[in-house]
């Protein structure tokens, strides 16, 4: 399973900067309401498996921040609401 995950990550790597930019635009457009990674993925019509890592990267880069608010995603898990910095 780990090898498959690494393989998928390698395939995604060329698209990561483009997806990061799209994620940032999408979450920025949500304004102070923000979005969870899952809400962003749904809005972009992308897989959450492609969008969640981009959100994490953008938080680490300082372009997004966790608002302190949490909302439940489709699976019922409480997720951080992200806003643009």
């Amino acid at each position: 399973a780990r090898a498959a995950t690494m393989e998928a990550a390698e395939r995604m790597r060329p698209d990561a900067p483009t997806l990061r930019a799209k994620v940032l635009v999408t979450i920025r457009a949500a304004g102070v309401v923000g979005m969870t990674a899952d809400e962003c993925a749904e809005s972009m019509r992308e897989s959450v498996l492609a969008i969640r890592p981009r959100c994490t990267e953008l938080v680490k880069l300082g372009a997004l921040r966790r608002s302190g608010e949490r909302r439940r995603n489709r699976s019922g898990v409480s997720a951080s609401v992200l806003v643009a910095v």
Side-chain angles (χ1 to χ4, degrees):
R2 180 120 175 110
T5 302
M6 295 301 285
E7 182 180 322
E10 287 301 317
R11 281 195 312 266
M12 179 67 71
R13 188 166 292 177
D15 297 330
T18 302
L19 275 177
R20 270 197 305 269
K22 289 178 181 178
V23 166
L24 185 56
V25 166
T26 302
I27 293 178
R28 187 174 282 140
V32 296
V33 174
M35 293 182 142
T36 65
D38 288 37
E39 290 167 346
C40 183
E42 186 175 328
S43 174
M44 293 174 62
R45 294 190 171 108
E46 292 281 349
S47 164
V48 295
L49 299 177
I51 300 306
R52 283 184 192 145
R54 307 299 74 85
C55 288
T56 299
E57 292 164 359
L58 286 164
V59 168
K60 288 180 180 177
L61 290 168
L64 296 178
R65 69 172 176 81
R66 291 176 179 85
S67 69
E69 183 184 350
R70 297 185 73 78
R71 290 199 281 258
R72 296 217 179 273
N73 60 26
R74 281 189 172 178
S75 63
V77 176
S78 177
S80 291
V81 175
L82 304 169
V83 293
V85 173

